């Protein structure tokens, strides 16, 4: 027993001498606390950003014209490719990966299987994002991003260009004036002025001068259009006219 203790002490002394020779010092506890705090901060920051991104993602998908998508893009696959928010999808995936890595780097993150981390992360991001979208958070974020990121705004305009097909019965633009006898004057996305006849203008009492709208109908002549259906330029979370689409 005494021999064993002496051998153990000699081994400990050799290890200590070796550490001193190589100038190896213990890492301060505050470093580990700072590392832990950094990854927890990255986790919560990434989670909040991902939830906001998912609310915007849901808003963009729900605000599309799915009932006429195949006619608009001349095929469902083309329509899906045109309206799918790839930028937001990549943004959410990158943040989800960041959240997963951050959890793994915490003191207890190694205990859990990958599947038991990934599924709750995805569920929380999409479910909470869906709730925020319902209360208008996705719409507000979408409007903010379009105003501050030109590339994102260009993608939105590209989606809306599907509505500039008057010869196929689709027309969109800004109302210049509302006249009597169910007639409005519209400026389309190419700055062309149209005279639009509407079957029942009183049914669309929410439209105002300066509002951007989309129409389904028939082209009667050069720059003359007959509209049977009028839709807002962008639907809000609750399916009503988006107040941000008026200038």
């Amino acid at each position: 027993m005494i021999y064993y203790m002496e051998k153990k002490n000699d081994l400990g002394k050799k290890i200590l001498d070796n550490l001193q020779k190589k100038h190896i010092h213990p890492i301060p506890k505050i470093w580990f606390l700072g590392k832990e705090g950094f990854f927890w901060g990255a986790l919560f920051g990434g989670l909040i950003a991902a939830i906001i991104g998912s609310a915007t993602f849901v808003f963009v998908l729900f605000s599309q014209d799915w009932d006429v998508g195949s006619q608009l893009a001349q095929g469902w696959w083309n329509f899906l490719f045109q309206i799918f928010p790839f930028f937001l999808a990549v943004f959410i995936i990158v943040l989800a990966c960041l959240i997963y890595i951050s959890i793994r780097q915490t003191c207890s993150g190694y205990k859990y299987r990958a599947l038991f981390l990934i599924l709750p992360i995805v569920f929380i991001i999409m479910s909470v994002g869906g709730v925020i979208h319902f209360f208008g958070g996705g719409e507000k974020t979408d409007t903010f991003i379009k105003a501050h990121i030109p590339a994102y705004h260009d993608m939105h305009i590209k989606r809306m260009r599907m509505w500039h097909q008057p010869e196929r019965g689709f027309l969109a633009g800004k109302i210049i004036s509302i006249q009597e006898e169910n007639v409005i004057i519209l400026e389309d996305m190419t700055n062309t002025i149209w005279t639009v006849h509407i079957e029942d203008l009183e049914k669309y009492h929410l439209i105002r001068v300066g509002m951007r709208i989309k129409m389904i109908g028939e082209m009667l002549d050069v720059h003359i259009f007959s509209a049977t259906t009028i839709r807002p330029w962008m639907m809000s979370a609750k399916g009503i006219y988006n107040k941000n689409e008026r200038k």
Side-chain angles (χ1 to χ4, degrees):
M1 183 68 178
I2 295 173
Y3 173 77
Y4 173 77
M5 293 297 295
E6 288 178 350
K7 190 175 181 180
K8 185 176 180 181
N9 289 336
D10 289 341
L11 180 62
K13 189 175 183 300
K14 287 180 181 179
I15 293 173
L16 183 61
D17 291 340
N18 191 38
L19 291 174
Q20 289 175 344
K21 286 179 182 179
K22 294 183 178 180
H23 303 287
I24 299 174
H25 303 284
I27 299 174
K29 183 178 180 181
I30 192 171
W31 189 89
F32 291 100
L33 293 175
K35 179 184 176 183
E36 186 82 359
F38 171 79
F39 283 112
W40 276 108
L43 191 159
F44 285 111
L47 185 61
I48 292 171
I51 288 172
I52 294 173
S54 71
T56 311
F57 179 85
V58 173
F59 167 73
V60 172
L61 289 182
F62 274 71
S63 62
Q64 303 304 317
D65 301 280
W66 292 94
D67 57 326
V68 293
S70 179
Q71 292 84 359
L72 270 173
Q74 302 185 53
W76 278 114
W77 286 113
N78 191 31
F79 177 71
L80 288 171
F81 181 79
Q82 292 279 356
I83 62 97
F84 191 82
F86 291 99
F87 171 83
L88 291 172
V90 172
F91 178 76
I92 295 169
I93 291 171
V94 170
L95 288 174
C97 292
L98 173 64
I99 294 168
Y100 173 77
I101 293 171
S102 298
I103 294 175
R104 279 295 192 196
Q105 295 301 317
T106 60
C107 61
S108 58
Y110 70 92
K111 298 179 181 179
Y112 306 101
R113 288 184 177 183
L115 189 63
F116 287 107
L117 290 177
I118 294 172
L119 290 180
I121 288 171
V122 173
F123 176 78
I124 291 172
I125 289 174
M126 298 310 299
S127 60
V128 178
V131 172
I132 292 176
H133 154 70
F134 179 79
F135 288 101
E139 176 186 345
K140 292 178 181 177
T141 306
D142 179 76
T143 302
F144 178 84
I145 298 175
K146 283 188 292 189
H148 293 85
I149 302 180
Y152 185 83
H153 181 265
D154 291 342
M155 287 187 286
H156 169 72
I157 295 299
K158 185 178 180 181
R159 288 195 294 265
M160 287 298 143
R161 287 193 187 282
M162 289 190 294
W163 279 88
H164 186 65
Q165 304 180 74
E167 69 284 349
R168 298 186 63 244
F170 301 104
L171 183 64
K174 182 170 70 174
I175 299 174
I176 301 300
S177 67
I178 300 176
Q179 302 181 353
E180 297 179 358
E181 297 180 358
N182 295 333
V183 174
I184 65 172
I185 305 301
L186 185 93
E187 182 182 7
D188 69 13
M189 287 180 281
T190 64
N191 298 322
T192 301
I193 304 300
W194 289 78
T195 299
V196 180
H197 298 271
I198 303 172
E199 289 185 355
D200 187 3
L201 186 58
E202 292 183 0
K203 186 171 65 174
Y204 302 102
H205 61 279
L206 291 175
I207 66 173
R208 299 288 185 273
V209 172
M211 182 176 285
R212 295 181 179 274
I213 59 173
K214 300 176 293 190
M215 296 178 293
I216 301 174
E218 180 184 5
M219 182 176 174
L220 301 178
D221 203 342
V222 179
H223 303 156
I224 300 177
F225 194 85
S226 175
T228 56
T229 302
I230 297 179
R231 301 182 177 190
W233 179 261
M234 201 75 173
M235 297 294 287
S236 72
K238 297 181 180 179
I240 59 175
Y241 283 84
N242 184 345
K243 63 182 178 181
N244 296 311
E245 297 302 338
R246 189 192 299 185
K247 289 188 177 181

